[in-house]
Amino acid sequence: MSQYPTDRPDTPALGPLGQIRIGDRAARTLTTELARHAGPKTALLVGATADSLVLAEALDALLPGDRLTVVAADATVAGHLATLGSFLAERVKVVDELAAAESADLVIVAEPVVGSGEEARNTVEQLSKYVAEGGLLIIAAVALPGLSGGATDELDRIAARQGVGSDLVLRNTPPVRVHRLRFTDVDASVAAKLSPAFRPSSVPLFGTMNIDSNGVAAAGIALGAAAFLKATRPKSKAWVLPALLAGPVAAFFRDPERDIPADPTAVVAAADGKVLSVEHIYDERFADEEFLRIAVFLSVLDVHVNRAPVAGKVVDYFVEDGGYANAMKPEAEHNVAAYTVLETPDRSRVVVAQRTGLIARRIVQRAPIGALLAKGERFGLIRFGSRTDVYLPADKAEALVAPGDRVVGGSTVIARLR
């Protein structure tokens, strides 16, 4: 049974009462596009209740000049908003049904979509009509398909066509996957208005230190192996080794917060490490022009999370096969590599190459084609070190680092664009 009335033709099929809740991390994930956009912007929040954490996060993200329309799930929402002061009263409008709303830059669904695949498809089709040109529909599905009918599988299929990013939120009851869907093209210049997005893959530890979710999984596997050995071989000390490895393995995936330079001409390092080379090359895979390439070597002791060197739109992504040579040697030029091509607000092409190495055999890239990345935003990682190259248009870029320099991903200015 749906939590919300279904007798109105414009009411989406949202989460069932008592089975699904949106916790704080899921709510923050659903509203991160609203929070990161400097505005002015418009948003439409569908299916919110007065005590919804998604509503609270949306209200907290509003800036002067922003406008939010809430399609209320019950009659308490308007009264709740009336108690929050004149700042919100001027920026927030409450309507009883979707038909009374106008299109918006961001359409956010406050509860996971459930039901059959056809119902999910109809919901997306219905809500897509309210997404403004270049805007996003942000919608969640239960990550356990058995709890949502066919809605989860259908939303996965839609995201494969229209998606510009998905985030799995495990710390929710039950886990949910948040999809960002775009139905019309968006200009790369919008990326310049964005700050780095909140991503649940970056799990907070303490202070400004986070750990990537890959590290949580790796440490969990090590501790699980230790517990298994301890249970099955109680007289053996074999469990000690995986137990001791859990800490160092997790440390490999540390993901600290970084201060990102505000200067729009600054190009920041895509990774922590040591500059291997600064050179001018031609590479026709990206454009028929000369590039300034800055290569950085990541040791196993460096932070492995990769960040966008500039603000831009992902216009291409591809992986090329190759070997696994030591990343510090010339042969590494032909290693397995993943290439993320960004279009900047001035229509230049900037490329980040994530290269494997002798130890690094796994590349993670979380920014699909069509995604907008803010400068310094996390977009992937290379497991256990290796090399990250940044390609910049040679006629517009001036290198500010030299071979041997140490750089910090997201913070160190490695070049300046003219």
Side-chain angles (χ1 to χ4, degrees), residues 267 280 292 392-399 415-418:
V267 179
H280 287 77
L292 170 67
L392 302 167
D395 61 339
K396 297 180 180 179
E398 175 190 4
R416 199 169 301 281
L417 294 175
R418 296 186 287 270

Side-chain angles (χ1 to χ4, degrees), residues 100-385:
E102 298 179 350
S103 62
D105 300 320
L106 302 170
V107 177
I108 304 168
V109 185
E111 296 288 346
V113 172
V114 297
S116 68
E118 182 180 2
E119 288 176 311
R121 186 165 56 254
N122 290 340
T123 294
V124 170
E125 181 179 351
Q126 176 186 15
L127 293 175
S128 67
K129 299 173 184 177
Y130 292 85
V131 181
E133 188 79 16
L136 290 173
L137 170 60
I138 304 163
I139 189 167
V142 179
L144 303 175
L147 290 181
S148 65
T152 293
D153 291 339
E154 182 60 27
L155 283 180
D156 286 344
R157 283 191 286 270
I158 294 172
R161 302 189 305 269
Q162 310 290 160
V164 291
S166 295
D167 286 309
L168 177 63
V169 185
L170 292 173
R171 290 170 56 183
N172 197 73
T173 307
V176 296
R177 186 176 296 279
V178 176
H179 296 292
R180 296 180 294 283
L181 309 177
R182 181 171 285 125
F183 306 94
T184 55
D185 196 22
V186 63
D187 195 275
S189 61
V190 176
K193 301 179 181 180
L194 304 178
S195 57
F198 166 79
R199 294 287 179 258
S201 58
S202 187
V203 181
L205 289 180
F206 53 84
T208 59
M209 180 58 68
N210 304 326
I211 182 173
D212 189 86
S213 57
N214 278 255
V216 176
I221 291 171
L223 291 175
F228 176 78
L229 290 172
K230 181 69 173 176
T232 57
R233 302 172 61 185
K235 295 182 179 180
S236 171
K237 299 295 184 182
W239 65 272
V240 175
L241 180 59
L244 291 176
L245 284 176
V249 167
F252 289 146
F253 293 93
R254 64 194 185 279
D255 181 16
E257 298 292 343
R258 293 286 164 76
D259 293 325
I260 301 165
D263 183 354
T265 68
V267 179
V268 299
D272 291 22
K274 180 181 179 181
V275 177
L276 286 178
S277 63
V278 179
E279 57 187 335
H280 287 77
I281 66 169
Y282 283 90
D283 198 320
E284 295 180 352
R285 292 173 300 176
F286 313 132
D288 185 19
E289 63 181 83
E290 187 179 29
F291 286 92
L292 170 67
R293 185 176 71 176
I294 301 174
V296 172
F297 172 72
L298 295 73
S299 76
V300 293
L301 299 179
D302 287 313
V303 172
H304 306 142
V305 173
N306 297 136
R307 295 171 178 266
V310 296
K313 175 184 174 182
V314 179
V315 293
D316 198 7
Y317 171 73
F318 60 94
V319 178
E320 290 200 342
D321 201 6
Y324 296 97
N326 187 322
M328 297 192 72
K329 294 185 177 180
E331 302 92 273
E333 190 76 22
H334 306 291
N335 281 1
V336 173
Y339 296 89
T340 300
V341 182
L342 295 171
E343 180 182 287
T344 66
D346 70 351
R347 302 295 185 271
S348 297
R349 290 290 175 100
V350 172
V351 183
V352 181
Q354 298 168 282
R355 299 190 188 279
T356 61
L358 189 62
I359 299 175
R361 300 294 177 100
R362 173 67 171 160
I363 294 171
V364 177
Q365 203 271 16
R366 296 173 173 138
I369 294 174
L372 295 177
L373 294 176
K375 181 166 61 182
E377 183 170 346
R378 303 169 177 91
F379 75 92
L381 72 153
I382 310 173
R383 292 181 180 174
F384 304 107

Side-chain angles (χ1 to χ4, degrees), residues 64-122:
D66 293 346
R67 294 291 182 270
L68 171 66
T69 300
V70 180
V71 181
D74 57 45
T76 66
V77 174
H80 170 68
L81 293 175
T83 68
L84 299 181
S86 59
F87 177 87
L88 293 177
E90 297 171 357
R91 291 162 179 81
V92 181
K93 179 174 71 171
V94 180
V95 297
D96 293 329
E97 55 185 30
L98 189 59
E102 298 179 350
S103 62
D105 300 320
L106 302 170
V107 177
I108 304 168
V109 185
E111 296 288 346
V113 172
V114 297
S116 68
E118 182 180 2
E119 288 176 311
R121 186 165 56 254
N122 290 340

